[in-house]
């Protein structure tokens, strides 16, 4: 199996001995040994995945990397976060998914208005199976636990990914004080309830909701 490890905090090193991984196009920065690179149609899910992504607007160009040696991946000096999946599903914005083991399956999941608020469309990427996935974040991501009776609200622009049995609903943070210019300006939040983990980055990207 391919071995995932961090080289510093912003580079993913993958040691391979004839193994293969799936990585976002353009993220390879160096390698040692013998490596082959092959573009995969539809984000690595064949014709069905390609059609699904064209219909949903969830764009993710993926390449298969296979060989003997070590391959290094990075994306615009963002932080790399390793996630180990043991049969659960990881929901992640496609821009934040850097690399996965070949054993993991990627697809799409409907998010509705939550996705629109985060500026990433109506669908997001889901990763399922057993193996390692590498996520990127603007600054070191924090992992926040959600438990029954203790929901979590996240700014849509700071959301990166989540795992577990979580429900998410778009909530308005706009009250009377916000509308008259005396509030905090956080117009939209995504509320997570249930049991699971949420990955949050310390940097907000532009969102559909914006600030009121």
């Amino acid at each position: 199996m391919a071995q995932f490890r961090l080289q510093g905090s912003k580079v993913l090193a993958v040691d391979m001995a004839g193994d293969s991984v799936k990585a976002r196009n353009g993220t390879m920065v160096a390698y040692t040994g013998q490596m082959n690179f092959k573009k995969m149609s539809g984000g690595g899910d064949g014709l069905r995945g390609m059609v699904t992504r064209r219909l949903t607007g969830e764009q993710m160009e993926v390449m298969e990397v296979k060989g003997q040696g070590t391959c290094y991946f990075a994306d615009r000096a963002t932080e790399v976060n390793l996630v180990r999946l043991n049969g659960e599903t990881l929901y992640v914005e496609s821009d934040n998914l850097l690399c996965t083991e070949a054993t993991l399956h990627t697809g799409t999941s409907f998010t509705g208005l939550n996705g629109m608020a985060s500026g990433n469309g109506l669908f997001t990427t889901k990763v399922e199976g057993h193996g390692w996935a590498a996520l990127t974040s603007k600054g070191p991501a924090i992992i926040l636990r959600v438990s029954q009776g203790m929901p979590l609200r996240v700014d849509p622009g700071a959301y990166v990914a989540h795992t577990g049995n979580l429900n998410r609903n778009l909530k308005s943070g706009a009250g009377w004080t916000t509308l008259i210019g005396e509030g905090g300006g956080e117009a939209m939040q995504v509320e997570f309830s249930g049991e699971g983990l949420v990955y949050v980055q310390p940097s907000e990207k532009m969102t559909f909701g914006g600030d009121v």
Side-chain angles (χ1 to χ4, degrees):
M1 295 177 61
Q3 300 296 314
F4 280 44
R5 56 186 173 87
L6 294 180
Q7 190 79 25
S9 64
K10 300 180 180 180
V11 177
L12 169 69
V14 182
D15 302 314
M16 288 179 274
D19 316 283
S20 63
V21 297
K22 294 183 289 186
R24 199 163 73 247
N25 276 3
T27 58
M28 188 279 293
V29 294
Y31 69 88
T32 62
Q34 299 294 323
M35 296 288 168
N36 293 315
F37 301 87
K38 178 183 177 182
K39 185 176 181 180
M40 303 181 73
S41 299
D45 294 318
L47 180 60
R48 181 178 179 181
M50 180 174 63
V51 172
T52 299
R53 282 187 166 79
R54 285 182 176 176
L55 290 175
T56 63
E58 175 71 359
Q59 300 297 324
M60 184 174 64
E61 294 185 349
V62 173
M63 60 181 175
E64 179 188 60
V65 184
K66 183 177 182 178
Q68 300 270 351
T70 301
C71 197
Y72 300 88
F73 302 94
D75 182 26
R76 295 168 290 184
T78 52
E79 301 284 329
V80 180
N81 310 270
L82 294 182
V83 180
R84 175 72 187 184
L85 296 180
N86 294 299
E88 65 268 45
T89 301
L90 170 72
Y91 298 90
V92 56
E93 301 294 351
S94 60
D95 289 345
N96 297 106
L97 183 59
L98 179 66
C99 184
T100 69
E101 284 193 59
T103 53
L104 293 176
H105 173 74
T106 56
T108 54
S109 176
F110 182 70
T111 62
L113 290 177
N114 298 328
M116 288 187 65
S118 64
N120 287 279
L122 294 174
F123 289 76
T124 193
T125 297
K126 63 179 180 179
V127 184
E128 301 172 292
H130 293 79
W132 287 102
L135 315 181
T136 60
S137 59
K138 295 181 180 178
I142 59 173
I143 305 173
L144 302 176
R145 180 173 294 278
V146 181
S147 57
Q148 293 290 347
M150 292 291 290
L152 171 71
R153 286 198 180 190
V154 176
D155 184 282
Y159 168 78
V160 174
H162 75 271
T163 60
N165 186 22
L166 291 176
N167 296 315
R168 53 182 170 181
N169 295 287
L170 188 65
K171 299 291 184 177
S172 172
W176 173 248
T177 56
T178 301
L179 293 176
I180 62 175
E182 296 180 2
E186 300 294 337
M188 296 286 186
Q189 296 110 37
V190 179
E191 182 180 85
F192 292 88
S193 59
E195 296 279 349
L197 301 174
V198 180
Y199 293 76
V200 178
Q201 62 184 1
S203 176
E204 297 180 30
K205 56 190 174 185
M206 293 296 294
T207 65
F208 176 80
D211 290 343
V212 172

